[in-house]
Amino acid sequence: MIISLPQSILQAEEIEACSERILSLITKTLPAEPALQFMLPLMDRDRKALKKALSSSRSSAFTQQIAEADEVRDDAFVVFRNTCETATRRRSKPDLIAAGQLLMRLIEAQGYSLQAMGYSAQTGVLNSLFDSLKEAPAVAAIAAIGAGEVLSELVDA
């Protein structure tokens, strides 16, 4: 009696392991069975195709490039945020404290830790931040604390 294997509950890796074991068992125990001689090569071919599909990369060719570019952008944001935050601690320079606080309010409105967001969400939030940094008070604050270079690095990233 042939009992069908409930493959719908198995993951692809489990199906591959089961097929390898079944083929090995059949090959060793019934090597001369005429009914199986024509099926074994076909089953082995399909198992190899499944194994190849499981071993191939599931990401696109650009995944690594996107991840590296995101790291650069994340680092650039952290440097910009830290520059603004550092200005809020300049006790002897009240004008720098005020400029840093203004910029930190803009950053916190978008998300203090926006570098942890996904690629698309981060892009949208950064574009919104860039729009708010183009307003006159923010431009003056950036100039006051000397954050123009790090902002340019963030925009480029």
Side-chain angles (χ1 to χ4, degrees):
M1 180 164 141
I2 297 176
I3 300 173
S4 63
L5 182 66
Q7 60 183 334
S8 62
I9 62 170
L10 298 176
Q11 295 182 2
E13 291 83 4
E14 294 168 325
I15 291 174
E16 196 277 324
C18 284
S19 66
E20 184 176 2
R21 289 178 185 145
I22 290 169
L23 279 173
S24 175
L25 180 67
I26 291 172
T27 304
K28 288 178 184 174
T29 58
L30 303 169
E33 180 67 36
L36 296 176
Q37 290 306 309
F38 76 95
M39 289 177 44
L40 287 175
L42 298 174
M43 293 168 56
D44 190 48
R45 182 199 66 203
D46 290 344
R47 186 190 63 78
K48 286 178 182 173
L50 176 62
K51 192 170 189 168
K52 181 180 178 185
L54 290 173
S55 67
S56 66
S57 175
R58 296 180 187 200
S59 59
S60 81
F62 298 108
T63 301
Q64 183 64 27
Q65 293 173 344
I66 291 170
E68 289 170 1
D70 184 57
E71 280 186 44
V72 170
R73 182 171 68 174
D74 291 348
D75 289 345
F77 169 72
V78 170
V79 169
F80 176 71
R81 183 191 67 202
N82 289 349
T83 302
C84 296
E85 198 166 27
T86 299
T88 65
R89 304 209 187 313
R90 302 283 306 268
R91 301 270 181 222
S92 62
K93 308 254 184 183
D95 55 328
L96 295 183
I97 291 174
Q101 287 173 341
L102 169 72
L103 294 170
M104 286 307 297
R105 280 195 301 276
L106 296 175
I107 290 169
E108 288 169 353
Q110 301 304 323
Y112 182 84
S113 297
L114 67 87
Q115 78 277 5
M117 294 178 176
Y119 304 142
S120 300
Q122 191 178 99
T123 298
V125 171
L126 278 172
N127 286 335
S128 180
L129 177 63
F130 294 151
D131 288 342
S132 63
L133 292 174
K134 290 177 184 174
E135 295 177 13
V139 171
I142 290 167
I145 67 168
E149 182 181 355
V150 292
L151 177 59
S152 293
E153 290 174 8
L154 175 57
V155 171
D156 292 344

